[in-house]
Each structure stands twice: as C-alpha cells, then as structure tokens.
C-alpha cells in the first residue's frame, strides 16, 4: 500500500491521534502524517470531518474515517490479512474490550486531565483518588482480559491496549506535575509491567511522545485561559 493512499490528519501530542498510527504500524501500512498546527484547523481537516471538526482523521483512497477507536477498527478490518487482529475473536471478549475503551475515554481520562486543572491541594487529592479508583478497576480488567499474557489482547498489542496505552505519555506528564505516581508497582503491578511492554513495542515506540517534550507542550496548553 503506497503511502499516498493512506493519510492521517493529526498532531504529535494528541493521544487520540496515536491510536490510528499504532494500528497502522501494527498492520505494516505505510501512511503520510499530516500535522495540524496547534490552535488552528486546516481546510482539509474541516472538509474531512465537518461534523466534529477534530483530529484524528484517516484518509484512505480519498475517503475520510473519523473518531479514533472507529479508525482502529476500520484499520483492523481493512487490512485483516496483514498483521495480528486487534479485536478478540470471541464476541463477548470484543464487547468487553469496547466497554473498557469507552470507560477510559468517558471516565478515566477526563479525571486524569482534571489533575492538571485542579485548584488547590484538596481538589487535587480528590481528583487523584478518582483516578486511582479507576486505575484499580483497569488493573482488574487487565488481569481478566489478558489471561496471564503480556497485553490486554493476549500475546500482542490490540484494540484495548491501544485505547489505554495512548494515554501513557500524558499519564507520565501528570505524575510529574502532581508529584504522585498513579501506575504504582505496588498497587497496580500488572498494569505497571504492561505499560513498560506497551511503550517498548515496535509499533508504539516511534509514536510515543518524549515525556520532557510533552511536559513542555502541556505547560503551553494549560497556561492559556480556558475557552
């Protein structure tokens, strides 16, 4: 597949943009990465995603596909004969993977973001407690889903690994800013080991942002007044 046939509109710091990039890497699909400028939206983005007007967008043979988890499923189905399957073969296991992916986006990540926006120590402690409660649930989910194997999906990175793992860069930045470790080897031993393996996976390593660079970028974002 030539690179000009597959394009990803996104930004290097976006965890959601990491998802299609990891999926394409897992399937060994070459693609062109079209970087959006922070604070503005290109004509191509607005044309390709007129409903939500946000990244990421996958363009395949001039057809846009939007929403990060939907893109991952599209990549998995379109290049089904290339590389490992990202969703479990069992329908129940697929449903569970989608459930936890939705939980991460709707509950866990918003709580994590709130740590950087918290005002005062009491608010920060309350938000940290929420995040740790959610992380404990994900620790149990990992044990149940992985069945003793390295990843949520078993022997290799899959849909739920991508859904959660894309936030690990921002998790590290948040831990540094809060002076508190969320993925703690004592409290979440399985997830701590998983995170290290995920970040070192050949499909992930090239697109995982450097923590120091991401921390500098975070300062710029959170220094700006809320819209």
């Amino acid at each position: 597949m030539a690179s000009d046939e597959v394009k990803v509109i996104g930004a290097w710091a976006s965890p959601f943009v990491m998802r299609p990039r990891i999926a394409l890497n897992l399937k060994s699909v070459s693609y062109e990465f079209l970087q959006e400028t922070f604070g503005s939206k290109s004509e191509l983005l607005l044309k390709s995603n007129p409903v939500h007007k946000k990244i990421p967008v996958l363009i395949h043979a001039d057809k846009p596909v939007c929403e990060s988890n939907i893109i991952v499923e599209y990549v998995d189905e379109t290049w089904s004969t290339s590389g490992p399957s990202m969703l479990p073969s069992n329908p129940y296991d697929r449903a569970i993977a989608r459930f936890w992916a939705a939980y991460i986006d709707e509950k866990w990540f918003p709580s994590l973001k709130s740590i950087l926006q918290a005002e005062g120590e009491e608010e920060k402690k309350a938000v940290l407690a929420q995040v740790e409660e959610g992380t404990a649930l994900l620790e149990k989910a990992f044990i149940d889903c992985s069945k003793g194997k390295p990843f949520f999906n078993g022997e290799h990175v899959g849909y739920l690994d991508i859904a959660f793992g894309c936030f690990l860069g921002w998790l590290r930045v948040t831990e540094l800013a809060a002076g508190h470790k969320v993925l703690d080897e004592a409290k979440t031993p399985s997830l701590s080991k998983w995170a290290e393996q995920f970040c070192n996976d050949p499909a992930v390593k090239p697109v995982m942002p450097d923590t120091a660079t991401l921390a500098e970028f975070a300062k710029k974002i959170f220094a700006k007044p809320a819209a």
Side-chain angles (χ1 to χ4, degrees):
M1 181 71 63
S3 61
D4 62 348
E5 292 185 16
V6 182
K7 298 173 183 177
V8 175
I9 305 174
W12 68 271
S14 167
F16 300 101
V17 172
M18 277 187 68
R19 289 174 175 172
R21 298 183 76 191
I22 293 169
L24 290 165
N25 288 346
L26 280 168
K27 295 290 186 177
S28 301
V29 177
S30 298
Y31 65 94
E32 182 181 358
F33 185 46
L34 305 175
Q35 184 94 247
E36 288 286 302
T37 303
F38 177 66
S40 65
K41 297 181 180 183
S42 67
E43 284 186 25
L44 180 61
L45 172 60
L46 297 173
K47 177 187 171 186
S48 303
N49 190 358
V51 176
H52 293 301
K53 302 179 176 66
K54 64 181 184 180
I55 53 177
V57 178
L58 176 82
I59 300 176
H60 178 214
D62 295 325
K63 293 178 181 177
V65 183
C66 307
E67 295 297 294
S68 60
N69 285 333
I70 292 172
I71 296 170
V72 170
E73 292 203 43
Y74 175 84
V75 169
D76 196 27
E77 292 170 0
T78 302
W79 289 278
S80 59
T81 58
S82 175
S85 176
M86 283 177 264
L87 273 163
S89 57
N90 180 279
Y92 178 77
D93 292 341
R94 281 202 302 276
I96 293 299
R98 289 178 176 127
F99 170 84
W100 283 114
Y103 171 80
I104 288 160
D105 282 0
E106 293 165 14
K107 297 286 185 184
W108 185 85
F109 184 59
S111 294
L112 185 74
K113 275 201 304 184
S114 297
I115 294 172
L116 294 175
Q117 298 164 325
E119 295 180 7
E121 284 304 310
E122 287 305 310
E123 187 179 337
K124 188 186 286 185
K125 280 181 187 176
V127 178
L128 272 168
Q130 278 184 355
V131 174
E132 291 195 324
E133 184 182 341
T135 307
L137 290 173
L138 290 165
E139 170 82 1
K140 186 179 183 305
F142 176 81
I143 293 165
D144 293 342
C145 293
S146 66
K147 300 175 177 68
K149 292 177 180 174
F151 299 103
F152 280 96
N153 199 43
E155 296 291 353
H156 54 78
V157 169
Y159 176 82
L160 185 50
D161 298 283
I162 296 169
F164 188 23
C166 71
F167 294 120
L168 288 173
W170 280 102
L171 176 60
R172 288 168 177 165
V173 168
T174 306
E175 288 176 333
L176 282 173
H180 183 90
K181 204 159 174 61
V182 175
L183 273 194
D184 180 81
E185 290 83 355
K187 292 180 182 176
T188 55
S190 298
L191 280 182
S192 296
K193 189 176 179 183
W194 161 81
E196 187 179 344
Q197 292 178 128
F198 178 83
C199 290
N200 286 321
D201 190 272
V204 177
K205 204 168 184 177
V207 298
M208 179 62 70
D210 172 72
T211 304
T213 309
L214 195 58
E216 284 301 311
F217 179 74
K219 284 178 189 174
K220 293 177 186 175
I221 293 177
F222 290 104
K224 293 184 177 235

